[in-house]
């Protein structure tokens, strides 16, 4: 599926973009851009694709995405066919990492938000109180200008820096890089990302971390919220989604290229993570491209 770069117009006297998308349906295709982006759906329903994540959106859906992460919001047929009794609406905020200066994210006060923006490279869907607070601010920002709008964005940063109410969307294997952690975690992560197409054993990776297998398993789960094997499979399935979208490899070839040594296990892990088969994923991606 071809990904294109799409840019929103920015007013000459504004340092970042606040834009209200409104129409029969959301017209933007599968695309990316160099800005960070917050998308709040006000009205309409449909399918949301962020990287290799496929989910369903409805009013109140709030997602943050990092630069160059491919994504698209495809409205349900009732909107694309013009049969809904209301228009589709969303509020979009876009900003670049250096919109307040090259060193803005390097100051001590921005340490937590810098970590959150790193996670946004995979896309983040917000829930709970975090979503409620940011939603209120984004709705108000449409009617603001100047310092009020900037102040509200900084307030959003403050909320994000303290939040735990989120779900990461795209698989780590789909993106080109992940936020840096400790030296030990970075070494492990890089080894996985560079060798996921080969056999990687628990004893091997635990030895790299200078830990026993049990200690390593507990450490890894504490850091990543999932087990090492679950993370490894997530990386492999994420890469598989990239290959499936290109349509120049059959499913058996994709499975072996991603480190699975048999098709049955590949299909089982894919369905577990994506809630659909590899074939259905390929069909869904093609449908989004046509739409």
């Amino acid at each position: 599926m071809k990904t294109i770069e799409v840019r929103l117009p920015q007013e000459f006297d504004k340092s970042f973009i606040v834009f209200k998308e409104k129409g029969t349906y959301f017209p933007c295709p599968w695309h990316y851009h160099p800005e960070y982006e917050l998308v709040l759906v006000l009205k309409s329903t449909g399918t949301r694709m962020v990287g290799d994540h496929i989910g369903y959106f409805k009013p109140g859906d709030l997602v943050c995405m990092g630069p160059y992460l491919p994504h698209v919001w495809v409205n349900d047929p009732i909107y694309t066919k013009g049969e809904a009794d209301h228009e589709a609406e969303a509020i979009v905020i876009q900003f670049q990492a250096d919109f307040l200066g090259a060193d803005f994210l390097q100051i001590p006060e921005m340490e937590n938000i810098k970590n959150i923006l790193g996670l946004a490279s995979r896309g983040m869907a917000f829930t709970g109180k975090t979503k409620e607070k940011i939603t209120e601010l984004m709705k108000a920002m449409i009617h603001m200008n100047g310092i009020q709008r900037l102040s509200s964005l900084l307030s959003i940063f403050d909320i994000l820096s303290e939040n735990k109410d989120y779900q990461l969307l795209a698989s780590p294997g789909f993106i080109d890089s992940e936020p840096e952690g400790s030296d030990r975690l970075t070494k492990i992560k890089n080894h996985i990302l560079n060798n996921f197409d080969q056999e990687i054993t628990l004893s091997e990776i635990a030895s790299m971390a200078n830990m026993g297998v049990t200690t390593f398993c507990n450490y890894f789960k504490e850091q990543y919220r999932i087990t090492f094997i679950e993370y490894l499979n997530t990386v492999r399935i994420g890469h598989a989604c990239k290959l499936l979208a290109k349509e120049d490899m059959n499913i058996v070839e994709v499975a072996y290229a991603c480190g699975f040594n048999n098709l049955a296990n590949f299909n089982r892990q894919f369905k577990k993570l994506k809630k659909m088969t590899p074939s259905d994923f390929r069909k869904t991606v093609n449908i989004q491209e046509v739409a």
Side-chain angles (χ1 to χ4, degrees), residues 17 53 66 68 81 112 158 166 178-179 195 207 213 240 266 287:
I17 296 169
H53 167 84
Y68 301 105
K81 294 178 180 178
N112 286 343
D158 183 50
Y166 63 83
E178 281 194 276
N195 298 281
S207 176
V213 170
F266 171 65
I287 290 171

Side-chain angles (χ1 to χ4, degrees), residues 217 220-228 230-232 234:
C217 288
F220 193 93
K221 188 167 185 178
E222 180 181 322
Q223 296 296 320
Y224 278 93
R225 305 185 187 180
I226 58 177
T227 68
F228 165 73
E230 288 172 332
Y231 182 87
L232 177 58
T234 301

Side-chain angles (χ1 to χ4, degrees), residues 121 189 191 286:
S121 65
K189 179 199 70 178
H191 182 76
N286 289 338

Side-chain angles (χ1 to χ4, degrees), residues 2-3 15 25 52 86 94 127-128 154 160-161 172 227 254 256 258 263 284:
K2 184 178 180 180
T3 311
S15 60
Y25 61 92
D52 62 332
H86 58 271
Q94 288 187 352
T127 59
L154 293 177
L160 290 177
S161 69
T227 68
V254 169
Y256 282 94
C258 296
L263 184 60
T284 302

